[in-house]
Amino acid sequence: MIHSNGFRPLDRQECLRLLAKAPVGRVVYTRQALPAVLPVNFALDTDSAVVLCTSAASDLVRAVDGVVVAFEADDFDAGSRSGWSVVVTGRAAVVTDAAEHGRLLRTGPRSWMPMRDGVFIRIDAEMVTGRELTGAS
Protein backbone atom coordinates (compact mmCIF):
# COMPACT_ATOMS: atom_id res chain seq x y z
CA MET A 1 0.00 0.00 0.00
CA ILE A 2 1.28 3.48 -0.91
CA HIS A 3 0.50 6.09 1.72
CA SER A 4 -0.69 9.55 0.73
CA ASN A 5 2.81 10.93 1.34
CA GLY A 6 4.19 8.65 -1.42
CA PHE A 7 6.00 6.25 0.90
CA ARG A 8 5.31 2.56 1.34
CA PRO A 9 6.31 0.96 4.65
CA LEU A 10 8.60 -2.06 4.35
CA ASP A 11 8.27 -5.15 6.53
CA ARG A 12 11.24 -6.58 8.41
CA GLN A 13 12.11 -9.17 5.74
CA GLU A 14 12.06 -6.57 2.94
CA CYS A 15 14.24 -4.29 5.05
CA LEU A 16 16.81 -7.02 5.70
CA ARG A 17 16.84 -8.04 2.03
CA LEU A 18 17.61 -4.46 1.01
CA LEU A 19 20.23 -4.00 3.73
CA ALA A 20 22.06 -7.11 2.55
CA LYS A 21 22.63 -5.40 -0.83
CA ALA A 22 23.80 -2.02 0.50
CA PRO A 23 27.58 -1.46 0.54
CA VAL A 24 27.60 1.44 3.02
CA GLY A 25 25.43 2.63 5.89
CA ARG A 26 25.60 5.14 8.72
CA VAL A 27 25.87 4.39 12.42
CA VAL A 28 24.10 7.01 14.56
CA TYR A 29 25.31 7.39 18.14
CA THR A 30 26.04 9.95 20.85
CA ARG A 31 29.47 11.59 21.15
CA GLN A 32 30.06 14.01 24.02
CA ALA A 33 26.28 14.32 24.54
CA LEU A 34 25.74 15.30 20.88
CA PRO A 35 24.39 13.25 17.96
CA ALA A 36 27.05 11.82 15.68
CA VAL A 37 26.77 10.01 12.35
CA LEU A 38 29.56 7.96 10.80
CA PRO A 39 29.47 6.29 7.36
CA VAL A 40 30.74 2.71 7.50
CA ASN A 41 30.85 -0.44 5.44
CA PHE A 42 29.08 -3.37 7.09
CA ALA A 43 27.62 -6.83 6.74
CA LEU A 44 24.51 -8.56 8.04
CA ASP A 45 25.23 -11.54 10.25
CA THR A 46 23.23 -14.77 10.17
CA ASP A 47 20.98 -13.50 13.00
CA SER A 48 20.33 -10.19 11.13
CA ALA A 49 22.67 -8.18 13.37
CA VAL A 50 24.60 -5.41 11.63
CA VAL A 51 28.35 -6.03 11.93
CA LEU A 52 31.04 -3.37 11.55
CA CYS A 53 34.82 -3.74 11.57
CA THR A 54 36.91 -0.91 12.98
CA SER A 55 40.11 -0.21 14.89
CA ALA A 56 40.12 -1.17 18.55
CA ALA A 57 41.45 2.31 19.30
CA SER A 58 38.68 4.15 17.44
CA ASP A 59 36.43 6.67 19.16
CA LEU A 60 33.49 4.69 17.78
CA VAL A 61 34.34 1.63 19.91
CA ARG A 62 34.39 3.66 23.12
CA ALA A 63 31.20 5.51 22.22
CA VAL A 64 28.96 2.59 21.23
CA ASP A 65 30.01 -0.47 23.27
CA GLY A 66 26.96 -1.46 25.32
CA VAL A 67 24.83 1.43 24.08
CA VAL A 68 21.66 1.54 21.98
CA VAL A 69 22.43 3.02 18.55
CA ALA A 70 20.74 3.38 15.20
CA PHE A 71 22.08 2.20 11.86
CA GLU A 72 20.71 3.49 8.55
CA ALA A 73 21.29 2.50 4.93
CA ASP A 74 19.50 3.64 1.82
CA ASP A 75 19.51 3.78 -1.94
CA PHE A 76 17.96 6.51 -4.07
CA ASP A 77 17.65 7.37 -7.73
CA ALA A 78 17.22 11.12 -8.11
CA GLY A 79 16.15 10.79 -11.74
CA SER A 80 13.17 8.57 -11.01
CA ARG A 81 12.62 10.02 -7.54
CA SER A 82 12.54 6.53 -6.06
CA GLY A 83 14.44 4.63 -3.42
CA TRP A 84 14.36 3.15 0.04
CA SER A 85 15.65 3.74 3.55
CA VAL A 86 16.06 1.19 6.36
CA VAL A 87 16.85 1.87 10.03
CA VAL A 88 18.04 -0.76 12.51
CA THR A 89 17.93 0.16 16.19
CA GLY A 90 19.56 -1.95 18.87
CA ARG A 91 22.33 -2.40 21.39
CA ALA A 92 25.86 -2.27 20.02
CA ALA A 93 28.61 -4.42 21.51
CA VAL A 94 32.22 -5.16 20.72
CA VAL A 95 32.66 -8.85 19.91
CA THR A 96 34.89 -10.29 22.65
CA ASP A 97 34.26 -14.02 22.21
CA ALA A 98 37.32 -15.52 20.49
CA ALA A 99 35.32 -18.07 18.48
CA GLU A 100 32.88 -15.47 17.22
CA HIS A 101 35.72 -13.08 16.39
CA GLY A 102 37.41 -15.86 14.40
CA ARG A 103 34.19 -16.61 12.52
CA LEU A 104 33.74 -12.93 11.67
CA LEU A 105 37.31 -12.73 10.43
CA ARG A 106 36.28 -15.31 7.82
CA THR A 107 32.72 -14.19 7.09
CA GLY A 108 32.30 -10.63 8.38
CA PRO A 109 32.91 -7.26 6.78
CA ARG A 110 36.38 -6.16 5.80
CA SER A 111 37.42 -2.68 6.82
CA TRP A 112 38.18 -0.40 3.92
CA MET A 113 41.05 1.04 5.96
CA PRO A 114 44.21 -0.98 6.63
CA MET A 115 44.49 -1.90 10.32
CA ARG A 116 46.21 -4.35 12.62
CA ASP A 117 43.97 -4.14 15.65
CA GLY A 118 40.57 -4.66 14.05
CA VAL A 119 37.54 -5.41 16.20
CA PHE A 120 33.98 -6.21 15.26
CA ILE A 121 30.97 -4.33 16.56
CA ARG A 122 27.56 -6.02 16.47
CA ILE A 123 24.35 -4.02 16.44
CA ASP A 124 21.44 -6.24 17.42
CA ALA A 125 18.47 -5.80 15.07
CA GLU A 126 15.97 -5.21 17.88
CA MET A 127 13.86 -2.83 15.80
CA VAL A 128 13.96 -2.76 11.98
CA THR A 129 11.91 -0.22 10.05
CA GLY A 130 11.97 0.98 6.48
CA ARG A 131 10.11 2.74 3.76
CA GLU A 132 10.18 2.92 0.01
CA LEU A 133 9.49 5.83 -2.29
CA THR A 134 8.32 4.41 -5.61
CA GLY A 135 8.49 7.54 -7.74
CA ALA A 136 6.64 10.67 -6.77
CA SER A 137 4.95 12.77 -9.39
Side-chain angles (χ1 to χ4, degrees):
M1 171 192 331
I2 302 286
H3 290 262
S4 61
N5 63 5
F7 288 100
R8 179 178 71 88
L10 301 173
D11 67 27
R12 182 182 178 93
Q13 286 310 109
E14 287 178 291
C15 289
L16 294 173
R17 181 183 60 76
L18 291 168
L19 271 183
K21 297 190 304 185
V24 175
R26 286 159 289 285
V27 61
V28 182
Y29 62 102
T30 302
R31 182 177 56 214
Q32 298 176 348
L34 296 172
V37 179
L38 183 66
V40 293
N41 66 307
F42 70 100
L44 284 185
D45 207 353
T46 56
D47 64 352
S48 302
V50 173
V51 180
L52 318 174
C53 182
T54 189
S55 168
S58 75
D59 291 339
L60 180 65
V61 169
R62 289 186 296 283
V64 305
D65 191 22
V67 176
V68 173
V69 301
F71 179 84
E72 189 270 346
D74 54 50
D75 185 39
F76 291 97
D77 181 328
S80 66
R81 299 174 69 180
S82 63
W84 57 268
S85 174
V86 170
V87 176
V88 172
T89 306
R91 186 164 307 276
V94 173
V95 172
T96 57
D97 179 77
E100 185 177 2
H101 184 83
R103 179 182 65 81
L104 290 172
L105 282 172
R106 292 185 307 277
T107 64
R110 302 284 178 254
S111 174
W112 290 356
M113 302 298 296
M115 70 178 79
R116 292 183 183 189
D117 62 344
V119 296
F120 293 100
I121 298 172
R122 289 177 51 84
I123 302 170
D124 290 332
E126 296 170 23
M127 186 168 59
V128 179
T129 59
R131 61 189 192 160
E132 178 182 37
L133 177 62
T134 56
S137 55

